[in-house]
Amino acid sequence: MIIFSGPSGVGKGTICQELFKYKELNLAYSVSMTTREKRQGEVNGVNYFFVDLPTFEAVIKNDELLEYADFVGNYYGTPKSYCFDKINVGKNVLLEIEVQGATQVLEKITDAVSIFLIPPSLEELENRIRGRKSESEEILQERLEKAADELPLQNNYNYVVVNNTVEQAVTEIKAILRQEIAKRS
Ligand code: 5GP
């Protein structure tokens, strides 16, 4: 299991998409469940399982999530069955999740590989979130404040990668994953 975390807007999604092009990494994406509204272009069952609040609460109650978190007013969580089904067929499952959830997984799955992606600076992070144009000013400010609180948590991870450019970050993460795969095979 690979825990890939970092502040919202740092570029986790873009880097994930690139990593999936390298078939030798044998990656499977852990599709999360969320109560957030679908953004333009997102597909249910591919980007997320989009559900309403009562459904998410029922899933929590039934203990069907490996971890979950309330992130800026919406729930996000990792369905156990989806994730472990992929592991059971031999895939390296990548969880792209925020830090509260990542902390829960770090405690439960002690042999997971954990990678924390950080922006070159908080100013650069703000530019990136603004560029995405998907959040209101209020949500954007909340996400930035959260990012400032989250950065010190990088110390809990096996690896910290700075997202200067997508190409550089992908190259570094590929090297980390290749090394971890070699160690475990
Ligand atoms: P977004 O709304 O931008 O898609 O995601 C917001 C944050 O939630 C991002 O940092 C993303 O990595 C995180 N996230 C996505 N899925 C999960 C999940 O299953 N669990 C947790 N804890 N965070 C998630």
Side-chain angles (χ1 to χ4, degrees):
M1 190 178 285
I2 302 150
I3 306 170
F4 186 42
S5 193
S8 161
V10 71
K12 299 192 293 292
T14 311
I15 286 172
C16 262
Q17 276 180 7
E18 287 300 309
L19 289 172
F20 275 85
K21 292 180 183 164
Y22 299 90
K23 299 298 171 210
E24 76 276 16
L25 297 177
N26 192 28
L27 295 175
Y29 184 69
S30 165
V31 179
S32 298
M33 189 171 280
T34 185
T35 58
R36 136 158 115 55
E37 289 291 311
K38 207 195 277 181
R39 291 187 191 130
Q40 208 181 356
E42 287 183 326
V43 178
N44 190 33
V46 175
N47 305 93
Y48 284 104
F49 297 108
F50 295 97
V51 297
D52 58 14
L53 187 57
T55 306
F56 201 100
E57 285 171 341
V59 168
I60 295 174
K61 205 166 153 215
N62 294 335
D63 195 25
E64 291 172 32
L65 298 174
L66 176 62
E67 60 72 35
Y68 70 94
D70 178 343
F71 182 84
V72 199
N74 283 300
Y75 275 129
Y76 296 81
T78 303
K80 282 183 191 167
S81 57
Y82 188 91
C83 169
F84 289 114
D85 283 355
K86 301 283 179 196
I87 288 186
N88 289 339
V89 294
K91 287 289 190 181
N92 298 318
V93 176
L94 192 147
L95 274 55
E96 187 220 306
I97 59 178
E98 57 69 62
V99 297
Q100 297 172 66
T103 305
Q104 296 167 44
V105 185
L106 283 168
E107 283 168 8
K108 288 183 191 168
I109 316 281
T110 49
D111 65 346
V113 177
S114 57
I115 304 172
F116 197 82
L117 188 69
I118 60 171
S121 66
L122 280 175
E123 291 71 31
E124 184 55 33
L125 183 67
E126 178 168 353
N127 293 339
R128 288 180 192 180
I129 303 181
R130 278 193 196 286
R132 199 161 70 178
K133 291 194 175 77
S134 56
E135 271 83 20
S136 66
E137 184 62 28
E138 191 191 344
I139 297 283
L140 183 138
Q141 289 304 334
E142 277 185 59
R143 286 191 178 222
L144 280 177
E145 280 170 30
K146 213 170 171 71
D149 291 342
E150 288 172 351
L151 285 177
L153 295 172
Q154 59 186 268
N155 297 328
N156 300 339
Y157 291 73
N158 299 136
Y159 301 95
V160 177
V161 173
V162 184
N163 189 10
N164 289 306
T165 67
V166 173
E167 199 187 353
Q168 155 269 326
V170 168
T171 303
E172 280 183 40
I173 296 171
K174 258 181 359 202
I176 291 168
L177 295 180
R178 284 194 181 124
Q179 187 191 325
E180 289 287 344
I181 291 167
K183 255 203 261 178
R184 287 153 197 251
S185 56

